[in-house]
Amino acid sequence: MKNNLLKITSILLIIIYFTDSKAYPTKPNTEKENHERLSLDKGWRFNLGDIPFPEIKGHEVSYSNAKAGKAWGAAAPEYNDTKWRTVNLPHDWAVEAPFDSTANVSQGYRQRGFGWYRRNFKLSKADNGKHLELQFDGVATNCTVWVNGIVVHRNWCGYNSFYIDITALAKYGDEINNIAVRVDANAQEGWWYEGAGIYRHTWLVKQSPLHLITDGVYAQPVKAKNGSWSVPVQATVENTGKTTASYVIETSLLDKKGNLIGQSTANGEVTPLNQNITSATIAVSNPELWDIDQPTLYQVRTVIKQNGNETDHLTTSCGFRTIRFTADSGFYLNDKHVKIKGVCSHQDHAGVGVAVPNSLWDFRLKKLKEMGVNGYRCAHNPPSAEFLAACDRIGILVMDENRNFNSSPEYMRQLEWMIRRDRNHPSIILWSVFNEEPMQGTEIGYEMVRRMAAVVKKLDSTRPVTAAANGGLFEPVNVTQAVDVVGFNYQIDVYDRFHKEHPEMKLTSSEDASAQMTRGEYANDKQKHLIESYDTQYPSWGQTHRNTWKAIAERPFLAGCFVWTAFDYRGEPQPFEWPTAGASFGIMDQCGFPKAAFYLHQAQWVENKPILQLIPQWNWPADSTGKQIRVMALSNADRIKLFLNGKQIEDSPVDRYEMITWKVPYHPGKLEAIGYKAGKEVSRSSVETTTSPVKLELIADRNAIAGEGWDAVPVTVRVLDAKNRPVETANLPVEFELQGPANIIGLGNGDPNSHEAEKGNKRRLYNGLAQVILQSKANSSGTLTLIARSKGLKDAKINITVTKSIQVPEVAVIN
Ligand code: GAL
């Protein structure tokens, strides 16, 4: 009875957890003892800077140094790290440091350098006999890992995960296990901000000796020529036990409500310390399709049984959809034509650098969805697993991109890892093997791509391979001959020539625009490093947003666009350098605050609701009265009428690419636009002259977060005048106080020229806006209160509910 009650309560708790749409949890571990995935994020000791190893001199020392378990210096288990700081992961130390004009411009003028992390943990005696694996989701950039004084891994890419079998080295009971990680963040793989440290999650996985390897279930639905669907499941089973194991794989397909849709079983056998792939196919009739608008997901539950007992299991998600690229009319999803309205982006966000909490991915992707985006290119590296899961849930088509262009064994391993980890995601429609490589128009480049594409195909033949080329396209031997879909970076002038010469090739833009603007600025100012927001500024290789989209939209043979970039990012400031520390290519700034480009694309891309936005703001200095101000209406209406202080001054048709630009003589007051479709009013937008700010306002992106210590919510800070109108020109300092079960994990305002600290509790508004990112504390519930203060203004106060949530199971910290 008691047991049943317990069961019912925990099922109820799980249901509440999953149905709480406000929570953005990581997957709680509802797994049984035979497969535990425990977070290792908490309680790492951290030292900024390298700790050189003691010199190896003399026979005895040299002899000992060469032995397993005898690591020296900070890698030794007994090293005294008590003076080191304690940090929780994900951690990016570069964003904690001040801006530094002597640091690399490409890394956003942040020092990176070296760092050390150490963590102790215990394993119970009951763990003895289990298969144990350490997982690092991402470390920037190179690193060496020791466990119990034995070097267990050297990693050469800041964007791939690595999994380390520590079974043989583990200690149990009262004995302590030690992990030491030396991170070399001077190593660089990009020309953008890459962060520094263990910036994604870490895990300890405990399984039975007979288990499914990590990323070892490949279950991607396929549609046969006769229209029937099935899910072929390939399970890689490993046996770290001492005897040969015969097993049964049982695999089940569950719909979103948890109903069993289909099942299949298969037998296998695996000898000790070996792996075996077992395949089973689940037949499915009439599945609900995964689509951009309705991204229905199913779960595949794969169980291994030995002598009737379950030894391991894994749940993966999948989606039923077909994809097809054509040479003449672009891309088809589920046999419906879809023009890809895509964006490229890097992975840093204001306040947190590259240590982005899972829920911020949802925040960013939802902003993109609101803008009408249906595609995302992970530039120029594999993203976090949580990002891809969010794309699956939200319905965004993904170009997943490999980081290093290299066909030698270590780099092929990196590529293979990406495909294995990511191939179940219905959102992924393209694998990209490179971005803009100087060898793209040579035989060497061609041969490398040919080999890399072959590696991809061996692991996943269902998606085309592409490469983002910015030249070499017309060389006699070039990379376009080795890919399935040719990706053009820029190249707007040769779209037609290439298509004419190669009518059989499938084409997409893989990167375009690179237009620049500074949020809320409406004049170019070389002294102040400001770029106007009228979609006029772009570098020599780029084009305006409007010209780019027109060129792509009007060419059916192009599958779509990938605008550079969705969000501003640190590093690569263009055309200005120091003190400018971040790029201004974003459609949104580093916080995700919309720039004019956001409304421009929204007007071009959103079809099912009226869009209308007037720019610029309408607070111009008193001596501007009578001066001509450039005004733009960004809208999907047919016609716009413009009124200044109630008097109609314009009535113009909307060009769906160019939008409307007028010159309006400035008079303080209200400038209002009314949009019409087929003669009927459908939308309104206005900008108003405000009086000076009198009070602060806080707007949380969600009013409840999960109290598991992971969920994070961005809060917008702005100021209002006496009539409650936001003052878009305000640049005031604001201070924050937080009460309750949460922490401020970062602050930003989208100003690429700002050198303010991104940690702490202070931030200026930039053109009327700032952002504070709050994260719940572990094991917490109740109400958090954020208070904002600025001298002379009325405070703002906001409450956010912290809901009791299932905790992410974790490995206890041992000091
Ligand atoms: C592209 C490149 C991007 C970024 C962009 C800036 O050529 O692929 O990573 O550098 O230029 O415009």
Side-chain angles (χ1 to χ4, degrees), residues 191-192 344 346 377 379-380 401 403 435-436 468 470 489-490 511-516 539 541-542 564-565 569 572 574 583 585:
W191 49 96
W192 56 89
C344 305
H346 287 311
R377 171 172 175 231
H380 303 295
E401 191 159 277
R403 172 71 296 268
N435 173 67
E436 297 185 352
N470 67 335
N489 274 19
Y490 309 93
E511 188 176 317
D512 39 78
S514 268
Q516 297 142 307
W541 58 92
W564 190 267
T565 47
Y569 50 97
E572 210 175 30
Q574 289 262 355
F585 297 114

Side-chain angles (χ1 to χ4, degrees), residues 221-537:
V222 291
K223 191 178 182 185
K225 286 220 167 73
N226 67 7
S228 66
W229 283 97
S230 65
V231 187
V233 180
Q234 257 183 38
T236 306
V237 178
E238 186 174 58
N239 176 11
T240 48
K242 296 190 180 79
T243 53
T244 297
S246 299
Y247 60 84
V248 180
I249 289 283
E250 284 181 9
T251 178
S252 325
L253 183 75
L254 309 170
D255 69 11
K256 59 182 177 221
K257 290 187 185 134
N259 298 320
L260 182 66
I261 303 299
Q263 254 181 325
S264 179
T265 57
N267 297 326
E269 191 179 272
V270 58
T271 53
L273 298 178
N274 231 331
Q275 294 185 351
N276 186 36
I277 297 177
T278 302
S279 304
T281 298
I282 309 172
V284 188
S285 52
N286 294 322
E288 231 180 82
L289 298 185
W290 183 94
D291 214 319
I292 294 164
D293 301 322
Q294 215 175 326
T296 304
L297 293 171
Y298 286 75
Q299 308 274 300
V300 176
R301 188 172 161 83
T302 306
V303 174
I304 313 182
K305 283 188 175 170
Q306 192 179 21
N307 304 324
N309 298 321
E310 182 178 317
T311 69
D312 193 17
H313 63 267
L314 202 69
T315 303
T316 51
S317 21
C318 70
F320 291 79
R321 93 287 183 266
T322 60
I323 56 168
R324 182 160 49 94
F325 283 83
T326 66
D328 55 352
S329 57
F331 176 72
Y332 292 78
L333 178 66
N334 299 324
D335 290 321
K336 275 193 319 233
H337 181 255
V338 173
K339 191 84 178 182
I340 300 172
K341 296 158 180 167
V343 288
C344 305
S345 210
H346 287 311
Q347 57 172 1
D348 61 313
H349 187 93
V352 294
V354 293
V356 179
N358 302 350
S359 45
L360 271 193
W361 294 126
D362 287 74
F363 167 76
R364 284 164 70 101
L365 288 168
K366 282 184 183 157
K367 285 264 166 209
L368 291 173
K369 196 84 180 178
E370 190 188 321
M371 188 180 118
V373 164
N374 63 18
Y376 190 106
R377 171 172 175 231
C378 307
H380 303 295
N381 48 263
S384 71
E386 293 84 7
F387 170 87
L388 291 172
C391 290
D392 287 350
R393 274 199 312 273
I394 292 169
I396 300 245
L397 306 167
V398 176
M399 183 194 294
D400 199 359
E401 191 159 277
N402 172 57
R403 172 71 296 268
N404 292 300
F405 182 48
N406 196 320
S407 56
S408 62
E410 164 55 26
Y411 295 94
M412 289 296 216
R413 199 185 61 77
Q414 293 173 14
L415 177 63
E416 280 181 14
W417 161 81
M418 176 177 92
I419 311 296
R420 269 187 218 284
R421 186 197 63 167
D422 295 348
R423 60 191 171 164
N424 290 330
H425 290 283
S427 54
I428 297 179
I429 57 161
L430 279 167
W431 303 116
S432 163
V433 293
F434 78 57
N435 173 67
E436 297 185 352
E437 287 292 337
M439 286 191 269
Q440 58 207 355
T442 67
E443 181 126 20
I444 297 177
Y446 164 78
E447 282 299 337
M448 282 164 66
V449 172
R450 197 167 74 86
R451 282 165 172 72
M452 293 173 85
V455 159
V456 173
K457 297 280 156 145
K458 258 188 218 152
L459 294 169
D460 177 45
S461 58
T462 70
R463 298 168 179 90
V465 171
T466 188
N470 67 335
L473 299 164
F474 299 98
E475 295 302 325
V477 181
N478 69 71
V479 294
T480 67
Q481 294 146 0
V483 295
D484 306 306
V485 173
V486 176
F488 295 125
N489 274 19
Y490 309 93
Q491 310 307 307
I492 193 164
D493 297 337
V494 300
Y495 288 164
D496 292 329
R497 180 182 157 205
F498 192 91
H499 176 57
K500 201 161 167 229
E501 289 182 22
H502 304 283
E504 75 297 349
M505 282 193 177
K506 298 160 188 169
L507 315 176
T508 185
S509 165
S510 36
E511 188 176 317
D512 39 78
S514 268
Q516 297 142 307
M517 57 180 75
T518 319
R519 178 179 59 76
E521 299 293 342
Y522 297 96
N524 289 316
D525 187 329
K526 282 194 177 150
Q527 244 79 49
K528 291 187 179 154
H529 289 197
L530 301 174
I531 309 170
E532 65 174 33
S533 294
Y534 292 106
D535 189 31
T536 52
Q537 308 299 303

